[in-house]
Amino acid sequence: MSLTRRSVIATGLAAAAAPALSAAARNAGGGGGSNAAHFSLGYAPHEGSFASRGGLLEQIAFAADQGFRAWEDNEARKRPVAEQEAMARALSQRNMTMGVFVASMPKWADFRPVLGSNDDADRDAFLADIRTSIEVAKRLNARHMTVVTGFMDRKVPEAIQTGRIIDCMRRAGDIVAPHGLALVMEPLNTRTNHPGVFMQSIAQGYAVARGADSSGVKILADLYHEQIQSGNLIPTLEACWAEVGYIQFGDNPGRKEPGTGEINYANIVRWLRGRNYTGVIGMEHGNSLAGREGEERLIAAYRAIDRT
């Protein structure tokens, strides 16, 4: 049998898994005191990463016990206030940082909003969502909120759309910056997941962020999307770093944990350490295996890249 890159990675993951699997076995029900070393970077699972351990709060407890120091929740804005408050308490009790939630959810099936169009309606609705998300962010002790800059308008020149979106994001930044918050714009790939979106690369996000010129407007560098659309990850991060406010991982193809695809996340982690990055890294992906086996593999995958 030939020795492939994937078999080498799998062997490394298996070796790295032992401490994580031991901790997982002792905490099958979630909760309890910490019994695993903290990860060196702020990797953030989400609801569903550890689904076998129970509900949202049980999954947070289990993640903390495995050494994770952050959490993210795209759907947090839609949760009842009491649930938001319970999540914030659970994170605070475990000294975990809240990552992003989506401040203005796109209507994916309708290809809306179109923030660069000739009509102000979508821009006004977007800004209204931003205003109402401030209290959610405060309730969750979040500092970053995800936004998508909408879809392309095929009837309007791209340069005009860019100018309008810069203006819209500047207005949005003016809303959140006084509260110490930042909107992180997420570039999305059009080749696999999101055809028709306006912002398709970190470089494009950099241009909009520079134009908006606001501490409240930064880029969410989701490396899964960037690998599909553009590649060249580390040089791109290097060039755009001044405007990157948040990072998300996910391997390609498949959008699963590191080690399941082509991205060398060990090198990405090494580069982030060299940059003294102390922010959250969202685990914006699924598990490659179902159930507890998949959860254990997820932990092992992050142990493997975190030790490089």
Side-chain angles (χ1 to χ4, degrees):
M1 181 182 295
S2 62
L3 188 63
T4 65
R5 175 180 178 271
R6 185 159 296 186
S7 66
V8 170
I9 291 172
T11 301
L13 292 181
L21 299 186
S22 176
R26 290 194 298 270
N27 286 279
S34 176
N35 51 33
H38 279 157
F39 287 94
S40 67
L41 297 181
Y43 311 114
H46 52 83
E47 187 175 21
S49 295
F50 303 115
S52 78
R53 312 294 163 165
L56 173 63
L57 301 185
E58 288 79 12
Q59 291 184 51
I60 289 172
F62 179 79
D65 286 346
Q66 308 318 305
F68 291 100
R69 301 190 285 116
W71 190 262
E72 69 175 20
D73 185 351
N74 283 344
E75 304 295 327
R77 189 178 189 273
K78 298 180 180 179
R79 296 185 185 277
V81 169
E83 192 170 0
Q84 294 173 8
E85 292 173 341
M87 180 165 60
R89 283 193 301 271
L91 295 175
S92 177
Q93 288 166 1
R94 292 163 177 82
N95 296 315
M96 297 176 77
T97 301
M98 178 64 193
V100 291
F101 67 95
V102 178
S104 182
M105 187 66 74
K107 297 176 181 177
W108 301 109
D110 298 332
F111 295 91
R112 309 291 297 193
V114 183
L115 299 181
S117 72
N118 293 328
D119 188 343
D120 283 334
D122 277 3
R123 289 187 287 274
D124 290 344
F126 173 81
L127 293 172
D129 282 348
I130 300 306
R131 292 186 186 94
T132 57
S133 292
I134 291 172
E135 289 307 311
V136 178
K138 290 180 177 179
R139 200 174 292 129
L140 295 170
N141 297 314
R143 290 290 173 265
H144 297 90
M145 299 182 283
T146 302
V147 293
V148 173
T149 55
F151 290 84
M152 295 289 294
D153 188 333
R154 298 185 183 278
K155 296 181 180 179
V156 178
E158 186 174 345
I160 292 175
Q161 293 183 68
T162 299
R164 288 172 175 167
I165 288 172
I166 287 171
D167 287 343
C168 184
M169 291 309 305
R170 184 183 298 116
R171 291 171 65 190
D174 288 344
I175 292 169
V176 302
H179 300 276
L181 304 173
L183 300 168
V184 286
M185 304 176 293
E186 183 173 14
L188 303 169
N189 82 80
T190 62
R191 296 173 178 171
T192 302
N193 301 106
H194 300 292
V197 294
F198 173 81
M199 186 172 288
Q200 301 173 17
S201 69
I202 292 172
Q204 191 180 7
Y206 179 84
V208 173
R210 296 298 269 192
D213 191 23
S214 169
S215 64
V217 179
K218 295 294 178 183
I219 306 163
L220 192 169
D222 185 318
L223 301 188
Y224 162 77
H225 288 297
E226 187 71 11
Q227 176 69 5
I228 293 172
Q229 201 74 8
S230 303
N232 203 35
L233 298 180
I234 288 176
T236 297
L237 287 172
E238 183 77 48
C240 301
W241 189 244
E243 300 299 338
V244 173
Y246 195 93
I247 296 170
Q248 288 178 333
F249 283 5
D251 218 336
N252 178 65
R255 204 172 192 177
K256 306 300 182 184
E257 71 271 8
T260 57
E262 65 188 357
I263 301 176
N264 190 334
Y265 272 113
N267 276 351
I268 299 289
V269 166
R270 194 175 294 115
W271 187 87
L272 290 172
R273 282 211 192 93
R275 278 289 185 168
N276 298 312
Y277 181 71
T278 59
V280 173
I281 299 172
M283 295 160 57
E284 182 78 332
H285 55 75
N287 297 353
S288 61
L289 298 175
R292 294 203 172 187
E293 183 180 3
E295 294 167 10
E296 291 161 357
R297 180 177 175 83
L298 175 69
I299 296 166
Y302 277 88
R303 289 287 179 209
I305 64 171
D306 194 57
R307 289 174 175 171
T308 59

